[in-house]
Amino acid sequence: MAATDRDDTVIDRAMRRALEIARRGPRGVNPQVGAVILSPDGQVLAEGWHRGAGTAHAEVDALTRLTARSGADAARGTTAVVTLEPCNHTGRTGPCSEALIAAGVARVVYAVDDPGEQSSGGAQRLRAAGVEVIRGVGGDEGEALLDSWLTVQRLGRPHVTLKWAQSLDGRAAAADGTSQWITGAQARADVHRRRSVADAILVGTGTLLADDPALTARRPDGTLYDDQPRPVVVGTRATPLDARVRRHPRPFMQDEGDDLADLLDRLRELGAHRVFVEGGPTLASSFVREGLVDELLVYIAPTLIGGPRLAVGDIGVATITGQRRLATASVERLGDDLLIVGHLRSAHEAHTATTEEED
């Protein structure tokens, strides 16, 4: 099938539609995927999307709808436009690549490559069967749609954002443990906005007992955002029966915190793609020490507190050469406060950066 300007327009329109209907599916362990089946002359014959774990994938959903209405050979010679590379493995359902081949689909157009070790390879399997394959159409939009799911696939665990607020001299609380509020209203509003796009929010029992946080994501007027992170309390001390976290819109879970990597795995199994760690210092230090932080948010207030309550404790740095250097993504002013967004560098990247600075 030779592509024409009209054909490109039809494909682009079909991909936009596939991306739109993909959002009807739940965001969780499995990706949101949409599919549109086009006739040889560019007419939409069927649509499908993935409805969650154990249900038909988008391509099979669309094919099933088409054949149920028009017969077993209705997909022969058609084009399948899909937001994600058709899978090539058998899980709870069979490989979509094989389903497309068996249906007689002549061409497959998809937006994003499947990064999974087991599920990828669908494009190669389709080409081997003589199906024309075009990749990357609507790629940027597809990456945006699947951003959090793709992050989990590439990291092998949820993406972790670690946040803390501190005084200019690095304190997270006064000597008596009080910490509300170090930063101002604009900084706190920014934190709540970022909470609202997380799937889980973690806090240590020390902070829970000291501050009794609700762990909800709230707008400046106090109303709740539509999406709320699952609250997770980390530590061995009991959560009080009257703790505000027990009134969270989502049921809270508690974990002893002796294996943070395992905790992240279990959160992933529950559908968490993005985890927001609020601390306090003990929990924050543990995540940094174990190399489980992907993004760091540090809110710095122009105030001095002094005393022993540092924002971060032992992170495994015994000498200056072991320091955990950051790649600074942005510095933003929020009222009187500053927000520094950074990413922890690997040891090689940190050594290279230090050498360049000395040169």
Side-chain angles (χ1 to χ4, degrees):
M1 289 185 181
T4 64
D5 289 343
R6 178 184 179 278
D7 186 48
D8 289 343
T9 300
V10 170
I11 294 296
D12 289 343
R13 186 183 301 122
M15 183 60 77
R16 288 196 298 272
R17 177 59 179 168
L19 290 164
E20 178 185 344
I21 61 177
R23 292 179 171 84
R24 297 179 181 177
R27 192 170 74 94
V29 176
N30 297 99
Q32 293 172 298
V33 182
V36 174
I37 307 295
L38 298 175
S39 68
D41 63 354
Q43 299 300 308
V44 175
L45 299 177
E47 300 176 343
W49 64 92
H50 184 47
R51 291 166 172 77
T55 66
H57 289 189
E59 304 94 313
V60 174
D61 184 43
L63 289 172
T64 300
R65 292 167 180 267
L66 176 58
T67 57
R69 185 174 63 247
S70 303
D73 292 329
R76 195 161 300 280
T78 61
T79 294
V81 179
V82 194
T83 56
L84 180 67
E85 177 187 4
C87 69
N88 195 46
H89 81 300
T90 300
R92 297 187 186 182
T93 60
C96 293
S97 57
E98 296 292 346
L100 292 164
I101 292 167
V105 170
R107 179 171 58 169
V108 172
V109 180
Y110 70 90
V112 179
D113 292 325
D114 189 329
E117 291 185 10
Q118 294 182 326
S119 55
S120 61
Q124 182 178 353
R125 176 69 187 92
L126 288 163
R127 290 191 182 98
V131 178
E132 181 186 0
V133 177
I134 301 173
R135 61 179 292 274
V137 175
D140 290 344
E141 295 84 353
E143 288 270 352
L145 169 68
L146 295 171
D147 176 54
S148 61
W149 180 82
L150 289 169
T151 297
V152 170
Q153 307 312 304
R154 290 162 181 164
L155 289 175
R157 58 164 174 77
H159 179 277
V160 174
T161 294
L162 171 60
K163 165 262 172 183
W164 72 70
Q166 67 172 60
S167 62
L168 196 60
D169 56 349
R171 269 60 182 180
D176 65 355
T178 55
S179 61
Q180 296 181 339
W181 300 100
I182 292 176
T183 54
Q186 289 188 40
R188 296 198 297 274
D190 187 74
V191 170
H192 281 274
R193 178 183 62 80
R194 293 174 186 271
R195 283 183 182 182
S196 72
V197 297
D199 301 304
I201 179 169
L202 275 60
V203 68
T205 51
T207 298
L208 179 85
L209 295 172
D211 295 342
D212 191 25
L215 299 184
T216 52
R218 303 183 296 278
R219 301 182 182 91
D221 64 3
T223 60
L224 297 180
Y225 280 99
D226 294 337
D227 295 320
Q228 293 291 320
R230 175 192 294 270
V232 182
V233 177
V234 181
T236 57
R237 286 179 285 181
T239 298
L241 294 178
D242 61 349
R244 294 172 68 200
V245 70
R246 291 186 181 274
R247 300 191 293 276
H248 194 283
R250 301 185 65 184
F252 87 99
M253 62 181 286
Q254 184 158 359
D255 184 89
E256 292 184 355
D258 55 343
D259 189 336
L260 295 179
D262 178 69
L263 172 58
L264 290 176
D265 285 342
R266 282 183 280 120
L267 289 173
R268 176 187 178 183
E269 291 172 0
L270 292 172
H273 294 166
R274 297 193 177 276
V275 171
F276 197 78
V277 180
E278 287 247 10
T282 301
L283 187 62
S285 302
S286 296
F287 268 92
V288 174
R289 189 168 57 248
E290 295 188 27
L292 296 174
V293 177
D294 303 299
E295 180 182 54
L296 195 63
L297 308 176
V298 181
Y299 295 84
I300 304 175
T303 186
L304 302 174
I305 297 176
R309 303 277 185 164
L310 294 172
V312 183
D314 178 17
I315 58 172
V317 175
T319 183
I320 196 64
T321 57
Q323 62 186 290
R324 304 294 183 93
R325 297 189 68 88
L326 300 180
T328 303
S330 64
V331 179
E332 182 179 355
R333 184 166 180 171
L334 298 168
D336 290 333
D337 306 316
L338 290 179
L339 166 61
I340 297 178
V341 181
H343 305 279
L344 288 170
R345 289 172 166 163
S346 67
H348 173 73
E349 290 173 329
H351 174 74
T352 301
T354 303
T355 303
E356 290 175 348
E357 288 170 5
E358 292 175 349
D359 291 345

